[in-house]
Amino acid sequence: MKIAIAQLNPTVGDLSGNAGQILDAAHQAIEAGAHLLVTTELALVGYPPRDLLIRPSFIEAADTQLRQLATQVPPELAVLVGTVFPNPESGRQGGKPLFNGAAWVMGGKIQQIFYKRLLPNYDVFDEYRYFEPGKNCNVVTLPDPDADAPLQIGVTICEDLWNDEEFWGHRTYTCDPMKDLGDRNVDLVVNLSASPYRAAKQQLRKSMLGHSARRYRIPILYANQVGANDDLIFDGCSLILDGKGEVVKALAAFETDFQVLSFDRTSADTPIVVESPESPAKPTDDIDEEIWRALVLGVRDYTRKCGFSKAVIGLSGGVDSSLVAAIASEALGRDRVLGVLMPSPYSSEHSITDALELAKNLEIETQTLPIQDAMGAFDRTLADLFAGTEFGIAEENIQSRIRGTLLMAISNKFGNLLLSTGNKSELSVGYCTLYGDMNGGLAVIADVPKTRVYSICKWLNRDKGREIIPKNVITKPASAELKPGQVDSDSLPPYEILDDILYRLIERHESLKTMVEAGHDEETVKRIIQLVMRAEFKRRQAPPGLKISDRAFGTGWRMPIAKGKYL
């Protein structure tokens, strides 16, 4: 029995385009002699479709597209297509209107439908908003050309495999689809998945799936979506595991891929043989490289799927804008990135020279737009109103807002996507200017702490074997340069300390007491907590940021703006 896995990159809502990807994979599967093709979760509609699912016309269009696809797929090939299905009982029994499911398409029609049983409702997931959980154990029976008895294949969808009580040490859901399939003695389990990326998640998936395969002695074919949709990145890295839990094949990381395997249940030694060539981009154990590749994919897909072809970036000569420019150049091509220098009277000479050296290394175009005259115009306009006051944050922020306005003007005039350059450390504590440096259509490194920004820049230079990010950019003190002699350490603790406090607060939810016991200064922790709480109104108005951590300021972050103070 030959089985193909299509690691797809769907666009949310592009029904015809997504169907075209599935159909192309079906023809590829037939050419390889495959009997079954497995696609990814909601491959036909794209994941996550969010509130498109509350539009009846969208559901009707998805159904029409599925039925049309069924007639186009080669009739001898069985295809598992991830899509949505109406719940006929929702009106009478109060259930949700839809199911997240998979259709077994073969012979020109839909042969069987399977529903996702476990619906995640944490972090970025909100599936109970739309879906009713399936109640049945999902098994498809296919004729096996190499055996007398048919092949019994268990069908699961993403979260259905994430409830192994023995692996996690606790039980999240009341049912365990993998256990149910083990009790049915299926020959193989396939999983249609759309599992969002976060740093180091690839190893977790291998461990979890390997444990389930060993526990029930059932091979697992895990097909995961790749690509980026809005703030979520999907890394692919689909897996083929044997009944001993060993990884037979890991598909490409951060790229589409297609693999064919031979499955022989009568062979105890080698039941799974991968026949396709090597994947184009293997997973990596280097966390800096992994994050770099994720962000490159995120920028490339967000730009393409939103209808842009070029990007514009404000180049300050600092490490953040340098990294974003490097990511954009890799994602879009050096001829599609414009770097804009906007020096003020407070800009240091090295800021200009460092930005120009970076642009030369990346071979990207630059424009220089000094803002001194614009600053003077604001000073004159506000002179009477600001008379008798000290130069302060208001005047500093005007500089940032002038730059933000210029960048948006370029974006509007030429249709370039403005990429904002703020990092997670700054966004956490509000060390950024609303309607200034926060302007943009995508916040590329909004989930990357400052210390990780430096680490990725150093990795990039090592990986390329030459200086992409100028050495002075990495070694000089960080500064917003909005007043003479300003450095970030005037306002914030050292980034090594700040980032550890933020990690403990945002991702581990530690209390003030716990962080102090870990060695942090109590007054510093109190101040950081207060800054994080006060900055929520800024984050609510920030552009979408690519998610690479367990807890990002995006889809899964739901903090109130108006709230009482607590520590």
Side-chain angles (χ1 to χ4, degrees), residues 312-317 340-348 351-352 369-372 374-375 378 395-411 418 421 433 435-440 479-483 486:
V312 58
I313 302 165
L315 295 183
S316 67
V340 182
L341 287 70
M342 296 166 286
S344 80
Y346 306 121
S347 297
S348 60
S351 294
I352 300 171
L369 304 176
I371 66 168
Q372 183 170 2
M375 290 169 60
F378 273 91
E395 288 83 0
E396 292 180 30
N397 285 344
I398 285 173
Q399 298 170 57
S400 182
R401 289 181 177 127
I402 290 170
R403 292 181 172 122
T405 299
L406 293 174
L407 291 170
M408 282 305 305
I410 294 169
S411 175
L418 174 55
T421 62
T433 304
Y435 320 125
D437 59 330
M438 291 179 68
N439 278 4
S479 172
E481 294 192 334
L482 299 177
K483 63 181 180 181
Q486 184 183 46

Side-chain angles (χ1 to χ4, degrees), residues 309-310 329 332-338 362-365:
S309 61
K310 296 183 178 181
S329 180
L332 308 179
R334 61 180 182 269
D335 58 330
R336 296 180 179 274
V337 178
L338 172 64
L362 296 175
E363 300 182 48
I364 63 173
E365 179 188 354

